Amino acid sequence: MSERDRDDDSDCHAAVGRTWITVVVALVCSAGVIALWVAGALGASFLTRLFEGVR
């Protein structure tokens, strides 16, 4: 195995690692957005019920 082959191999591994990091970050961000949206919807319905109960 020549020196250049080894360099190409490590570049490939680095690229695969970066791709996985990007995928994980994207999944975490989308999960966070969904969680915020669900929490907002639940909070809004809870507050609506609370205010209707006060009236």
Side-chain angles (χ1 to χ4, degrees), residues 2-54:
S2 73
E3 193 65 37
R4 209 173 66 194
D5 287 345
R6 252 183 267 130
D7 284 349
D8 288 349
D9 202 36
S10 65
D11 286 348
C12 180
H13 283 301
V16 168
R18 280 194 296 273
T19 302
W20 272 111
I21 290 167
T22 305
V23 168
V24 168
V25 168
L27 286 174
V28 168
C29 287
S30 58
V33 168
I34 291 168
L36 281 173
W37 183 75
V38 168
L42 290 175
S45 66
F46 174 74
L47 286 175
T48 305
R49 271 195 232 124
L50 199 67
F51 285 126
E52 283 175 356
V54 167

